[in-house]
Each structure stands twice: as C-alpha cells, then as structure tokens.
Amino acid sequence: MNNKVLVKLYVPTLEKKYELFLPANRKIGEICSLIAKGLTEISNGYYQITNFEHLYNRNNGSMYNEALLLKNTNIRNGTELVFM
C-alpha cells in the first residue's frame, strides 16, 4: 500500500473521528473534495459541503496547501488531521 496513507481524521462539525486511507498521488485540494463528498454521504446529508474545507495537522494546527501532492507533505501513516 505504498500509494496510500492511513490517517486519523477528526471532523469537528460532525463531532466524529475516522481512520481512512488517503491517496498519496493526489493533491490535497482533491482529497478535501473527496472527503467532503464522503462525509455528506455517510452523514445522510447532515454534513454540508462549503468548498472552503481544509486539512490541518492536529498536533501543530498548520494548514496543508491544496496545491501540494499528499506525498510531498509531512502526512504519513498515523498522522492526525482535522477537516474543517
């Protein structure tokens, strides 16, 4: 699974935590869109997509640049992220 990274994702809007695999060869912006769509589906529409969602590192609060490929960030297996 060299092309996927297992992360812990915290979603404050839903007050939920998830573990999920993220594709290493995709841009952070694309990953945010995929996550938002998935959250809308699994929450039966409760989660509303705003198109302003971002990924943040849970430990230091830094926001990830949407133009970067995931593999070019410090996101690795076990990284804790916040999606909002």
Side-chain angles (χ1 to χ4, degrees):
M1 288 244 190
N2 290 338
N3 58 349
K4 296 188 184 193
V5 178
L6 179 63
V7 300
K8 293 180 182 177
L9 184 72
Y10 297 84
V11 185
T13 308
L14 298 176
E15 297 179 356
K16 300 261 186 185
K17 301 177 199 177
Y18 302 95
E19 286 190 0
L20 66 151
F21 285 101
L22 300 178
N25 293 321
R26 293 271 184 113
K27 291 182 180 181
I28 296 294
E30 294 174 46
I31 292 170
C32 286
S33 295
L34 292 171
I35 292 171
K37 289 176 188 174
L39 289 173
T40 300
E41 288 180 25
I42 64 173
S43 69
N44 293 320
Y46 180 77
Y47 182 85
Q48 297 293 312
I49 298 173
T50 65
N51 294 319
F52 295 106
E53 293 90 359
H54 295 284
L55 280 178
Y56 299 86
N57 184 295
R58 187 166 188 234
N59 294 323
N60 62 25
S62 63
M63 183 176 82
Y64 289 98
N65 183 331
E66 292 184 351
L68 290 177
L69 292 174
L70 183 125
K71 67 181 178 182
N72 294 333
T73 68
N74 65 348
I75 299 173
R76 301 293 178 257
N77 286 330
T79 299
E80 295 183 6
L81 301 171
V82 177
F83 184 74
M84 52 186 212

